[in-house]
Amino acid sequence: GWLGLTRCMATSQQPYLQCVRNTLTAAMCIQNFACQEVERHNKPEIEVQKNPELLLNPVVITRNENEAVLIEPSINSVRVSIKIKQSDELEQVLVAKFMRFLMQRADRFFCFEAQSN
């Protein structure tokens, strides 16, 4: 689980999506930040995690136990993990199509990695 993190709870879909949008907008205020250890290198601090002062507080936005978004911002990068409800076969197919859609456009993201649980 994502224990000890800031939590935001929404019960209906519209406030949930608006909360995700607002939090992502705030988290995306990133800047070009050179690596403090190696000259002329920019590494995503959310991946490296060597300097805790450059990592911001992670936020979990949950609609219910099966739907949640984890947003982990840092000074120069943001990691977003999405948990999508898959209660029946139709929803499983839709989630698979959505993930395929995102992966086909991964080259448009600076850094995009998919991990399934």
Side-chain angles (χ1 to χ4, degrees):
W2 299 328
L3 299 176
L5 306 175
T6 304
R7 293 188 181 269
C8 196
M9 188 70 158
T11 55
S12 65
Q13 188 166 357
Q14 190 59 35
Y16 169 70
L17 295 176
Q18 190 61 45
C19 187
V20 170
R21 177 186 295 268
N22 293 343
T23 306
L24 279 173
T25 299
M28 291 293 189
C29 294
I30 57 178
Q31 59 185 330
N32 187 13
F33 191 83
C35 180
Q36 293 181 334
E37 297 173 10
V38 181
E39 190 174 336
R40 294 185 174 205
H41 281 84
N42 285 19
K43 300 199 184 248
E45 291 295 331
I46 199 66
E47 297 290 330
V48 177
Q49 294 195 2
K50 288 189 177 182
N51 302 304
E53 67 274 7
L54 302 177
L55 302 175
L56 304 175
N57 293 328
V59 177
V60 176
I61 304 167
T62 59
R63 183 170 178 215
N64 55 47
E65 64 182 24
N66 296 319
E67 296 175 274
V69 177
L70 169 63
I71 302 170
E72 299 173 274
S74 73
I75 189 137
N76 66 352
S77 55
V78 177
R79 180 186 307 153
V80 179
S81 302
I82 305 169
K83 183 177 181 182
I84 302 173
K85 179 177 76 169
Q86 300 178 48
S87 60
D88 60 18
E89 189 175 331
L90 176 61
E91 288 178 348
Q92 290 174 355
V93 169
L94 290 173
V95 168
K97 296 270 186 197
F98 177 63
M99 288 302 299
R100 184 167 180 240
F101 173 83
L102 291 175
M103 292 304 294
Q104 288 176 339
R105 287 147 184 85
D107 60 333
R108 295 185 185 161
F109 294 98
F110 179 70
C111 179
F112 184 84
E113 299 174 18
Q115 292 181 329
S116 60
N117 294 336

